[in-house]
Every structure is written in C-alpha cells, then in structure tokens.
Amino acid sequence: MKYKWLNKKQNENLIVFFNGWGMDESIINHLDCENFDVIMFYDYNSLDIDFVFEDLEKYKKKHLIAWSMGVMIASLFNISCNSKTAINGTLKPIDNLYGIPERIYDLTIKGFNEKGAAKFIKNMFDKDSDLPEINRTIENQKSELSALKTYKASLDFKYSKVLISSSDKIIPTKNQCAFWKIEPNIESGHCPFLLFKKWSELL
C-alpha cells in the first residue's frame, strides 16, 4: 500500500482518504482542503506500508473517507476517527449479492489490458469529459485486482455515513443498497467526486 500527503500544513484536523482500485489523486485533486490536512492511501497490491499510523494521533479531529474498494481496505486498519464516510463501496465488494459479482470480477482480471482498463475507467464516470489521467501502469492495476480478492474486510467496522450513487456501473447500486439497507442518495455514477467542491462536503 502507498500513501501520499495531498495537504500537509500542520492543521489541527485531518482527512484520511482510502482511494479506490487503480486510482491516484487525479480524481480528487479539485477538492478544496480548507483547514484540513489530507492523506491518501492507495495501490493495494500489498497491505504492507512504511507508515506509522500512530503519528496521526496528534490531530485534534480525524475524519475517514473511503471510496469503492477503499471501503473494505479502510476496515483493516485501526484508525480512530470522529466520522467515517463510505462512498460507493461495501465491506463485501466482491460478492454476488453485496458487491461486484464474482464471475464478472474474475473475467475482468482475465481480460484486463489497455482496452479493458479504458472501458473500466469510462464506466466509472458519467461523461467522457470527466475522465482523468491516471498515473498507474496496466500491470500494476491488474495485479492490484488480483490482490484485492485475497483481502477480507472487518465486518465489525462501522461507518457513520454512507453515500450510494443512483447509477453505479462498477459496484451495482442494488447490491450496495442490499448491503447497507438504504436507498441511493446521490445522483452519479461510481465516481461522484465532481459533484463536490471541497472535502468537508463529504463528512
């Protein structure tokens, strides 16, 4: 796992962001950090990381925001936070009832190439004009897909807020609704961040 500080200005408050599969900061760079330091975790090829999570305890308030596969990954780390927001993900993200159907996931891995990656990214967004430039290699993204199959979420992990898009083509909206037992509450595709202008709107 990798991490990157998106804002580090000795603020009292911190946002901890667990990104989705295959992503980097390009999908959330437009969000105003306001008075928050922001750290992003991503690239889940391995859960090993050269980072001391205890260093985050110095912050007065910490807020966790997890998106897509990051919803599962965040549950594996014991980070005490004042709020925890899950966005278009579940604790069973590869699951016939509560996530991406297993057969579809396996076929995605099997046929993953540049064309497949482009199609996947396109399905995440509402318009072609929204597509970001992701600085990840095809090989790195494909191996991450395989690695994610080996992780199991902590089902005891509790989110204080859940956002579900109405037209998610990646993790089916109906499966997310079945897991969280709520209805869709944002009008968007899988990646909804362009609906927002600042991080605090997601808390």
Side-chain angles (χ1 to χ4, degrees):
M1 190 166 73
K2 297 179 181 178
Y3 71 94
K4 184 173 184 178
W5 286 97
L6 305 182
N7 196 50
K8 192 176 185 183
K9 297 182 178 178
Q10 309 305 314
N11 288 302
E12 288 186 341
N13 304 313
L14 174 71
I15 288 176
V16 181
F17 177 57
F18 279 82
N19 211 335
W21 162 84
M23 294 293 105
D24 60 15
E25 67 273 22
S26 61
I27 59 166
I28 36 83
N29 264 341
H30 66 284
L31 294 176
D32 187 348
C33 295
E34 302 173 280
N35 64 332
F36 295 96
D37 281 1
V38 181
I39 187 170
M40 173 186 72
F41 294 96
Y42 67 111
D43 190 345
Y44 309 123
N45 271 284
S46 167
L47 296 183
D48 295 332
I49 186 169
D50 183 21
F51 183 80
V52 181
F53 284 94
E54 286 75 12
D55 289 347
L56 302 181
E57 295 302 319
K58 66 183 180 182
Y59 287 93
K60 186 175 181 180
K61 289 188 177 181
K62 300 188 294 297
H63 302 278
L64 173 71
I65 299 173
W67 171 58
S68 192
M69 287 293 180
V71 172
M72 170 182 67
I73 298 298
S75 77
L76 304 177
F77 294 89
N78 187 24
I79 305 173
S80 60
C81 293
N82 298 85
S83 70
K84 298 175 182 177
T85 302
I87 305 171
N88 287 337
T90 75
L91 295 176
K92 292 186 175 183
I94 307 169
D95 187 274
N96 292 335
L97 296 177
Y98 301 125
I100 301 172
E102 294 177 35
R103 179 175 175 275
I104 292 176
Y105 195 91
D106 290 339
L107 287 173
T108 301
I109 296 175
K110 184 177 180 180
F112 196 75
N113 51 30
E114 287 192 19
K115 185 177 180 180
K119 181 180 179 181
F120 193 100
I121 299 299
K122 186 175 182 178
N123 282 338
M124 287 171 48
F125 294 88
D126 296 326
K127 302 188 295 289
D128 288 354
S129 59
D130 295 340
L131 303 184
E133 291 290 333
I134 307 295
N135 187 26
R136 299 276 300 274
T137 67
I138 297 299
E139 294 76 16
N140 179 267
Q141 290 177 321
K142 183 173 183 177
S143 60
E144 186 182 9
L145 278 175
S146 297
L148 285 163
K149 282 200 69 175
T150 68
Y151 307 141
K152 300 295 181 185
S154 170
L155 296 179
D156 294 329
F157 195 83
K158 303 297 183 186
Y159 281 95
S160 53
K161 180 177 181 177
V162 176
L163 298 178
I164 301 177
S165 286
S166 57
S167 54
D168 197 319
K169 297 178 183 177
I170 304 299
I171 302 178
T173 298
K174 66 180 181 63
N175 287 8
Q176 293 185 54
C177 292
F179 182 83
W180 297 111
K181 295 180 174 57
I182 63 172
E183 293 300 310
N185 47 21
I186 48 176
E187 296 290 329
S188 174
H190 185 63
C191 188
F193 295 107
L194 289 176
L195 295 177
F196 305 95
K197 293 181 179 180
K198 49 191 178 183
W199 282 103
S200 60
E201 294 175 351
L202 293 164
L203 302 181

